[in-house]
Amino acid sequence: MNILVTGGAGYIGSAAVKKIIQEGHEVIVIDNLSKGKKELVDDKAKFYEGDLINLEFLKNVFSKHKFDAIMHFAGYKAAGESMINLEKYSQNITSMINLLDNMVQFNVKKIIFSSSAAVYGEPQYTPIDESHPLNPINYYGFTKLECERIIDWYSKQKGIVGICLRYFNVMGDAGLNYRDPDAQNIEPIIYEVLSGKREKLLIFGNDYETPDGTCVRDYIDIKDLVHAHTLALNLNSSDIINLGTGKGTSVLEFVKKYNIPYEFSSKREGDPATLTASSKKAKRLLGWIPKEKVIKN
Ligand SMILES: NC(=O)c1ccc[n+]([C@@H]2O[C@H](COP(=O)([O-])OP(=O)(O)OC[C@H]3O[C@@H](n4cnc5c(N)ncnc54)[C@H](O)[C@@H]3O)[C@@H](O)[C@H]2O)c1
């Protein structure tokens, strides 16, 4: 297949590029390098530096290649920043519309979209399944939900197959020696403590209603996540699928494993006690079973 990967120089996109090239596909990457790094992009991929909000640029790329499918990873993803810089995060929606319009014009039929558990907002119950109410509590999550809804319209009216994958907490290294540098996530923070860049880990709250009092999250290894994308290429009808393991891990479990200094601090607003995914639909539709251990032995 000829696959366009947007955001292919980023943390997850670069891992996906490597994997789908290994599987024998032709890969074309678009990235504006606002966060991604060109050196992460596999040499065998054709790389275009540019922004998805630039329609002329996009049209030029689409006119040069005949794509069989698109993996759309590009986007801004810092929830906190999204509450301040709305204009920047609105570009996630503009980019989505631009891609879909080019798909219609150039007859590209399939898109796999990186959505997020942020579309759910505060969990009403866990594990969260795909029918859980949708109520994002930050603008980032709102942009993901809007993109899903726009995909749904293009799917119904224009016959595009849109697979929206709602990721939970992605972590790990896919073999590129690169971990998500977004220090909102626990894993990069642990590595910062281990390397001496940071003195200790701050644990926000220790009196949650969880087995050890600290927050529980559903961590998914990037290798399993990328594998789910390759399986999604086989789907021929639009759908929305959670990507999480269904298993929760607490902050203290990480701390104990890595034996790093830590300190308890007050709870953060909007941090639910437990966030885990139901992964039943992913198993049923994709035949996907996560294999990687989140906390390595
Ligand atoms: N990492 C996670 O835990 C997580 C969880 C849920 C959803 N997601 C989603 O998965 C996708 C990939 O995440 P990531 O962790 O690899 O992030 P990342 O920031 O490492 O990668 C995103 C890439 O997109 C590029 N980009 C952003 N806006 C662009 C635009 N308008 N035009 C062209 N390129 C653009 C950036 O330069 C970057 O290389 C994102 O859409 C993110 O919202 C990630």
Side-chain angles (χ1 to χ4, degrees):
M1 278 185 172
N2 243 357
I3 302 176
L4 170 64
V5 179
T6 74
Y11 168 57
I12 302 170
S14 60
V17 168
K18 186 173 164 231
K19 171 85 175 159
I20 55 183
I21 285 178
Q22 279 167 0
E23 296 199 348
H25 301 289
E26 292 288 318
V27 177
I28 294 91
V29 169
I30 292 179
D31 201 296
N32 65 7
L33 299 183
S34 58
K35 180 137 177 237
K37 294 186 183 349
K38 170 83 171 56
E39 57 272 25
L40 289 175
V41 181
D42 194 296
D43 289 342
K44 294 188 197 78
K46 169 102 184 115
F47 180 76
Y48 290 94
E49 181 177 346
D51 202 298
L52 297 175
I53 62 164
N54 181 345
L55 262 180
E56 209 176 312
F57 160 74
L58 255 193
K59 199 171 175 170
N60 183 37
V61 176
F62 271 76
S63 61
K64 286 194 174 130
H65 304 272
K66 172 76 193 96
F67 299 124
D68 299 299
I70 299 178
M71 288 191 187
H72 178 35
F73 296 100
Y76 302 113
K77 64 164 189 177
E81 183 191 41
S82 78
M83 298 296 270
I84 300 156
N85 196 345
L86 274 75
E87 305 86 324
K88 178 175 176 184
Y89 282 76
S90 295
Q91 293 179 31
N92 286 351
I93 303 173
T94 316
S95 299
M96 184 80 249
I97 296 171
N98 286 350
L99 268 180
L100 289 164
D101 284 343
N102 272 281
M103 288 177 73
V104 172
Q105 190 179 343
F106 291 92
N107 199 26
V108 182
K109 286 292 180 206
K110 192 176 287 184
I111 183 161
I112 299 170
F113 170 56
S114 303
S115 189
S116 165
V119 299
Y120 295 117
E122 292 286 337
Q124 316 276 305
Y125 57 83
T126 55
I128 294 175
D129 57 26
E130 290 81 356
S131 316
H132 184 283
L134 302 168
N135 191 17
I137 56 167
N138 50 59
Y139 188 59
Y140 163 70
F142 172 83
T143 68
K144 291 291 180 188
L145 185 53
E146 285 304 287
C147 287
E148 286 190 3
R149 289 177 169 156
I150 294 165
I151 290 174
D152 187 47
W153 277 104
Y154 277 74
S155 172
K156 287 181 178 136
Q157 303 304 118
K158 300 286 181 181
I160 282 173
V161 174
I163 318 290
C164 300
L165 300 177
R166 292 177 178 160
Y167 311 165
F168 281 64
N169 289 58
V170 189
M171 58 168 289
D173 171 18
L176 294 164
N177 205 14
Y178 183 75
R179 287 168 195 272
D180 189 351
D182 182 354
Q184 305 296 315
N185 296 336
I186 187 164
E187 202 198 23
I189 297 176
I190 288 173
Y191 277 86
E192 285 184 10
V193 177
L194 287 171
S195 69
K197 204 171 155 197
R198 199 185 271 253
E199 201 188 315
K200 61 189 165 215
L201 176 83
L202 280 185
I203 301 180
F204 300 107
N206 62 347
D207 58 352
Y208 283 99
E209 281 186 30
T210 56
D212 63 24
T214 65
C215 283
V216 169
R217 295 289 176 269
D218 190 330
Y219 295 95
I220 165 169
D221 189 280
I222 186 168
K223 294 190 271 311
D224 283 325
L225 185 91
V226 166
H227 181 220
H229 285 71
T230 62
L231 296 170
L233 282 173
N234 301 323
L235 294 185
N236 288 317
S237 57
S238 296
D239 230 313
I240 293 175
I241 305 171
N242 279 344
L243 289 183
T245 62
K247 188 180 171 300
T249 307
S250 79
V251 179
L252 261 187
E253 282 179 78
F254 273 104
V255 168
K256 285 188 180 144
K257 174 68 199 171
Y258 289 95
N259 201 16
I260 53 169
Y262 66 93
E263 195 179 292
F264 289 116
S265 155
S266 48
K267 285 180 180 169
R268 287 185 302 194
E269 204 186 326
D271 252 354
T274 302
L275 251 183
T276 51
S278 162
S279 55
K280 283 185 187 158
K281 193 169 176 186
K283 189 175 177 191
R284 180 165 51 82
L285 287 186
L286 301 173
W288 177 74
I289 298 166
K291 292 196 182 78
E292 301 291 330
K293 276 195 180 145
V294 166
I295 297 187
K296 313 274 184 221
N297 291 322

